[in-house]
Amino acid sequence: MSRKAKRSGEFELIAKYFAPLAKSEPGALGLKDDAACLKPRPGHDLVLTADAIVAGVHFLPGDPPDMVAKKALRVNLSDLAAKGAVPRGYLLTLTLPCDVDEAWVAAFAKGLKADQAIFGITLLGGDTTTTPGVMTANITAVGEVPHGKMLMRRGAQAGDDAWVTGTIGDAVLGLKVLKGDGLDLSKTHRQSLIARYRVPEPRSAIGPRLVGLAHACIDISDGLIADLGHICEVSKVGIEIAVRDVPLSPAVAAAVERGFDIGELLSGGDDYELAFAAPASARRPLLALAAETGVALTRIGRVVKGRSVSALAARGKPIRTARAGYTHF
Ligand SMILES: [Mg+2]
């Protein structure tokens, strides 16, 4: 039986910790109404996405609350980035087990506040409830994209280049380190991997800039191979990637040197980088964008005729990946 922690009632929690997060959007009505009212800027479409994170599935129950808040928000920001959308607002439904105390809620709200300032997004509404089960943070995020320009999984064409942002495989190794799966790595490397697992870096600065350059885009939440596979499926193309061109952080490169299976890295989830297809004519502006933003953009392969992803090792031989990607159920 879990102990019941001391905390204020639902309305007090909202007034104390969440209403201050909604101040900058008049349409949120101070979280005092049943709904928010939102109008897109002229010439823009609203882009909507929802993602829940669940204790024991997407984060570990002992993870710091501010980091849980950031992860909940950032996985949604990553989906907005993949659609080329600029973040606008979000709704939060938080289910709290009885043994979670008010200090946890305060630290969770503090994490949201910090990220709202970084990403220019504001709370619009939501719900807080007690659960006999595990903690979940369910966020619905709203972004804006110029009318008719939302990036989709659909649209990749044979002849396009396949690109990724940042580095691949950090989060899957971070989870391994947290779970005590002894990887023989330095403390600095272990810490950087854990940080990537706990607090992903959504590519909000890049996504909206891909509008007009990328033909198709997705964020990597199920693993590079699986998510490229989603583009293949909907765009009706194949994608060939060269394993040696997949960008790895120093920590992941060290793990691979020590024999960690690269197939597992390519099929691990949770990187929250963007993978996209763009024509050769976009190479120059994309490299300029990387230089301007300081976010690495790496060409890892090409779009071909076909329906599936192949990961080619050094001599062009396909390598076996551990699984098709991470599925949560
Ligand atoms: Mg996604």
Side-chain angles (χ1 to χ4, degrees):
M1 278 299 278
S2 55
R3 137 192 97 85
K4 189 167 173 17
K6 263 201 181 152
R7 67 174 190 242
S8 312
E10 184 194 349
F11 297 120
E12 289 77 23
L13 285 180
I14 290 171
K16 203 162 160 190
Y17 299 108
F18 296 113
L21 301 177
K23 266 200 306 213
S24 59
E25 171 57 63
L29 305 170
L31 304 190
K32 286 183 177 149
D33 212 306
D34 301 299
C37 187
L38 198 64
K39 195 177 184 180
R41 281 181 296 155
H44 287 71
D45 296 333
L46 291 178
V47 176
L48 310 173
T49 185
D51 240 319
I53 67 166
V54 178
V57 181
H58 306 92
F59 64 97
L60 302 175
D63 281 352
D66 57 328
M67 291 189 184
V68 175
K70 288 174 179 214
K71 184 158 193 176
L73 189 55
R74 288 177 179 217
V75 298
N76 282 279
L77 290 169
S78 177
D79 275 325
L80 290 182
K83 302 301 104 195
V86 173
R88 172 86 188 265
Y90 66 102
L91 304 165
L92 165 71
T93 300
L94 195 57
T95 62
L96 297 169
C98 320
D99 61 349
V100 169
D101 61 16
E102 193 158 330
W104 194 97
V105 179
F108 182 90
K110 209 171 161 192
L112 290 177
K113 187 179 177 192
D115 266 6
Q116 287 194 185
I118 294 172
F119 296 101
I121 193 168
T122 183
L123 183 62
L124 298 171
D127 193 17
T128 306
T129 174
T130 298
T131 175
V134 296
M135 182 182 311
T136 63
N138 190 339
I139 286 184
T140 299
V142 187
E144 287 177 340
V145 72
H147 176 59
K149 300 286 187 200
M150 186 177 90
L151 297 174
M152 294 182 243
R153 296 177 178 191
R154 183 172 80 200
Q157 297 168 19
D160 283 351
D161 299 318
W163 295 76
V164 289
T165 60
T167 59
I168 300 301
D170 298 75
V172 72
L173 284 180
L175 178 60
K176 278 193 180 293
V177 172
L178 274 174
K179 284 183 160 174
D181 292 6
L183 291 169
D184 175 26
L185 293 172
S186 71
K187 194 174 172 198
T188 318
H189 283 162
R190 296 164 71 85
Q191 282 172 340
S192 80
L193 295 171
I194 290 174
R196 277 288 302 269
Y197 171 74
R198 279 183 167 159
V199 184
E201 194 60 56
R203 297 307 183 184
S204 304
I206 297 286
R209 303 284 297 275
L210 295 180
V211 171
L213 292 176
H215 282 157
C217 186
I218 193 165
D219 69 322
I220 304 174
S221 55
D222 298 333
L224 177 65
I225 302 289
D227 285 310
L228 287 176
H230 295 319
I231 288 185
C232 290
E233 197 181 315
V234 184
S235 293
K236 298 187 166 52
V237 293
I239 295 178
E240 277 177 8
I241 63 166
V243 172
R244 66 164 180 267
D245 294 336
V246 174
L248 305 179
S249 67
V252 172
V256 171
E257 261 169 43
R258 285 164 177 71
F260 190 82
D261 176 24
I262 193 142
E264 198 171 330
L265 289 177
L266 301 182
S267 44
D270 269 347
D271 284 318
Y272 299 104
E273 297 290 355
L274 300 179
F276 58 96
S281 60
R283 284 180 193 174
R284 196 191 288 251
L286 286 169
L287 294 175
L289 177 61
E292 182 197 323
T293 56
V295 176
L297 294 179
T298 309
R299 195 146 50 87
I300 58 165
R302 58 203 186 102
V303 180
V304 294
K305 285 188 178 153
R307 285 291 183 278
S308 62
V309 183
S310 21
L312 304 174
R315 266 167 271 135
K317 274 189 170 166
I319 65 158
R320 270 160 48 102
T321 49
R323 47 188 175 162
Y326 188 74
T327 41
H328 295 297
F329 301 99

